[in-house]
Amino acid sequence: MSHQCQTIGKVFNRCFSVDDRICEEHIGESKIAYVFSGVMTVTVNKTKITVKSGECVLLRRNHTARMEKRPSGQKLFHAVFLYINPHSVADMNLSPIIPCKLKCLQLGKDNRLTGFFESIDKYFSDKTCPSKALVKLKMQEIITLLSDKDSRAIGMITDCIANYKPDLETFMRNNFTRELTLEEFAQFTGRSLSAFKRDFSEAFGRITPSRWIMGQRLDRAKSLIEEGKSPMEIYLQIGFKNLSHFSTAFKKRFGFSPSQYKFKLCETN
């Protein structure tokens, strides 16, 4: 077993790895990660946090996080993740809730949090699935612990800043190579699909999101080929599922296939 992920419902996730692992994930719902062993480095935009054994990090929803998971010494990487539904916080009527714009929050070591995640980890070890009623209780427990630990955490989970939304133009320019549907782009920018399309038009003018995304991907491809990359190297990197589709789209936009363009550049040089 080099890497293994296990899931209980849509709430709990456990990860093991004996090798270094790097992944990028769009955080659809706020999640908290507890590291039992190993080290995890989380990068959100320009913020980088190192989470060591016995520590937690809270990640705000609607952002992209890069996670580097590494074993430490003779110990494999072992972590448990929990997705937190903001409605669970609202149901508890906590007050006051302090607005917080942080995208990630390091919580450090806390015996109460350790005890909580040890109880979650046991469900995986025992291969048992808690009832819905028990999941609700565990959710209330972690929210209470977070509220006591750092009140900013609750503000992050509830997105309680009035009218707060990620900047759409910045998000699109940073993520147009991602394999996302328009509905997912809308979700990750905190908007309904209709609001996403309206705000997109305000940011980029009279062009549809799909055409803009395609144009950005092809322009990026052209630049990468000019830097010496081959079509085979880049088509997945820029968001295409297969080489044939990439070649057809590239030729339609620039008048020649990616291979022909690379050959033309070689002749010129």
Side-chain angles (χ1 to χ4, degrees), residues 163-174:
N163 300 321
Y164 174 77
K165 298 175 184 175
D167 181 73
L168 187 143
E169 182 175 356
T170 301
F171 184 89
M172 295 304 295
R173 293 195 184 281
N174 289 338

Side-chain angles (χ1 to χ4, degrees), residues 172-211:
M172 295 304 295
R173 293 195 184 281
N174 289 338
N175 294 281
F176 63 82
T177 59
R178 307 297 176 206
E179 195 176 312
L180 298 174
T181 64
L182 290 186
E183 288 79 6
E184 288 171 325
F185 274 115
Q187 176 189 350
F188 291 128
T189 55
R191 293 161 170 83
S192 66
L193 183 58
S194 59
F196 170 79
K197 290 179 177 179
R198 183 190 65 241
D199 292 350
F200 186 93
S201 295
E202 291 178 1
F204 296 103
R206 299 181 66 179
I207 183 172
T208 66
S210 297
R211 292 187 67 180

Side-chain angles (χ1 to χ4, degrees), residues 116-132:
F116 173 84
F117 280 99
E118 284 176 345
S119 72
I120 300 300
D121 193 63
K122 188 170 175 56
Y123 289 118
F124 290 99
S125 300
D126 294 346
K127 298 181 179 180
T128 59
C129 184
S131 65
K132 289 183 178 180

Side-chain angles (χ1 to χ4, degrees), residues 5-259:
C5 284
Q6 302 167 306
T7 302
I8 295 178
K10 297 181 179 180
V11 179
F12 308 123
N13 180 264
R14 182 168 76 166
C15 174
F16 287 110
S17 181
V18 298
D19 303 315
D20 290 359
R21 303 280 299 188
I22 298 176
C23 62
E24 284 195 356
E25 179 182 344
H26 291 282
I27 309 299
E29 292 288 353
S30 296
K31 66 187 290 187
I32 181 171
Y34 179 89
V35 176
F36 283 91
S37 60
V39 178
M40 181 170 70
T41 302
V42 180
T43 304
V44 180
N45 294 344
K46 296 181 180 180
T47 302
K48 180 179 285 190
I49 290 177
T50 299
V51 189
K52 299 178 181 178
S53 175
E55 296 181 343
C56 288
V57 62
L58 177 65
L59 302 174
R60 187 194 188 103
R61 67 176 185 166
N62 293 335
H63 289 90
T64 301
R66 174 186 170 92
M67 288 176 274
E68 303 173 42
K69 305 169 185 177
R70 303 188 303 275
S72 180
Q74 299 299 313
K75 294 185 177 181
L76 49 69
F77 177 82
H78 172 198
V80 167
F81 302 83
L82 185 152
Y83 294 87
I84 303 176
N85 187 327
H87 298 297
S88 300
V89 180
D91 292 343
M92 293 176 67
N93 295 315
L94 294 174
S95 62
I97 295 177
I98 300 172
C100 180
K101 291 185 178 181
L102 289 174
K103 298 176 179 64
C104 53
L105 176 64
Q106 188 164 18
L107 296 167
K109 293 189 176 182
D110 186 296
N111 289 336
R112 296 170 302 170
L113 288 171
T114 296
F116 173 84
F117 280 99
E118 284 176 345
S119 72
I120 300 300
D121 193 63
K122 188 170 175 56
Y123 289 118
F124 290 99
S125 300
D126 294 346
K127 298 181 179 180
T128 59
C129 184
S131 65
K132 289 183 178 180
L134 192 51
V135 169
K136 183 177 181 180
L137 287 173
K138 299 305 289 185
M139 191 67 67
Q140 290 174 345
E141 181 182 355
I142 188 60
I143 290 168
T144 302
L145 290 173
L146 290 174
S147 180
D148 288 344
K149 177 71 174 176
D150 193 322
S151 59
R152 294 175 297 174
I154 306 304
M156 287 175 63
I157 295 168
T158 55
D159 287 331
C160 61
I161 304 165
N163 300 321
Y164 174 77
K165 298 175 184 175
D167 181 73
L168 187 143
E169 182 175 356
T170 301
F171 184 89
M172 295 304 295
R173 293 195 184 281
N174 289 338
N175 294 281
F176 63 82
T177 59
R178 307 297 176 206
E179 195 176 312
L180 298 174
T181 64
L182 290 186
E183 288 79 6
E184 288 171 325
F185 274 115
Q187 176 189 350
F188 291 128
T189 55
R191 293 161 170 83
S192 66
L193 183 58
S194 59
F196 170 79
K197 290 179 177 179
R198 183 190 65 241
D199 292 350
F200 186 93
S201 295
E202 291 178 1
F204 296 103
R206 299 181 66 179
I207 183 172
T208 66
S210 297
R211 292 187 67 180
W212 182 88
I213 291 167
M214 178 64 75
Q216 293 295 306
R217 289 176 176 178
L218 293 173
D219 287 344
R220 173 70 62 82
K222 186 170 179 285
S223 296
L224 290 172
I225 292 172
E226 290 168 355
E227 292 172 9
K229 301 288 187 181
S230 71
M232 182 65 74
E233 288 180 283
I234 66 172
Y235 78 92
L236 289 174
Q237 178 184 340
I238 59 174
F240 285 88
K241 292 183 179 180
N242 61 72
L243 184 59
S244 175
H245 181 209
F246 167 53
S247 297
T248 300
F250 192 96
K251 186 172 184 178
K252 184 177 180 180
R253 181 176 177 86
F254 299 113
F256 29 68
S257 71
S259 299

